[in-house]
Amino acid sequence: MSFATEPRAYHKTVLSDLQGAWSNLREAVVQSAGFPDWELAVFHIDEAMSWESVRNLAVMRQRLILVRNRLRHDGIPEDIITCLEDVNALMDETLEAQRNGEID
């Protein structure tokens, strides 16, 4: 009986960058908690980072739209806006890579 071995070489992909951007956004929102709808933004961020969303990027894109809608308030800290822009740009890049067959 043989055991599957863990791969030793991992390739950084746009998906890992996207995951990092979502994590940064979540952390920024939690650190600035207290503004309107911040809890709903965290909920949708967590949903966007779930396995179901990672396996179906169209679902993740829908969650991103919900997060953007929750973070459209006056007074949102600039670091949250910056993180949200990063997620948005990487989401576009990830969907493009998927269309080009670079990721499954």
Side-chain angles (χ1 to χ4, degrees):
M1 176 175 176
S2 65
F3 292 97
T5 59
E6 183 176 353
R8 300 208 185 274
Y10 290 94
H11 300 286
K12 185 175 179 182
T13 67
V14 69
L15 282 172
S16 62
D17 291 341
L18 181 60
Q19 180 185 18
W22 276 112
S23 295
N24 291 341
L25 176 60
R26 187 185 194 286
E27 184 175 333
V29 169
V30 169
Q31 287 181 355
S32 298
F35 58 86
D37 292 338
W38 76 272
E39 294 108 335
L40 287 171
V42 170
F43 172 78
H44 291 302
I45 291 167
D46 288 344
E47 287 295 308
M49 295 171 64
S50 71
W51 261 120
E52 292 80 15
S53 295
V54 172
R55 296 177 66 76
N56 184 348
L57 293 176
V59 171
M60 185 183 287
R61 182 72 171 158
Q62 292 170 349
R63 290 294 176 176
L64 177 55
I65 292 167
L66 292 171
V67 169
R68 282 197 316 239
N69 289 340
R70 293 294 172 196
L71 297 178
R72 289 185 186 237
H73 298 286
D74 291 334
I76 297 294
E78 190 62 34
D79 62 327
I80 292 176
I81 302 301
T82 300
C83 289
L84 184 57
E85 290 170 354
D86 290 346
V87 171
N88 198 51
L90 283 164
M91 186 80 239
D92 290 343
E93 187 178 334
T94 302
L95 292 172
E96 181 67 24
Q98 186 181 42
R99 280 190 293 273
N100 293 335
E102 297 169 23
I103 58 173
D104 294 327

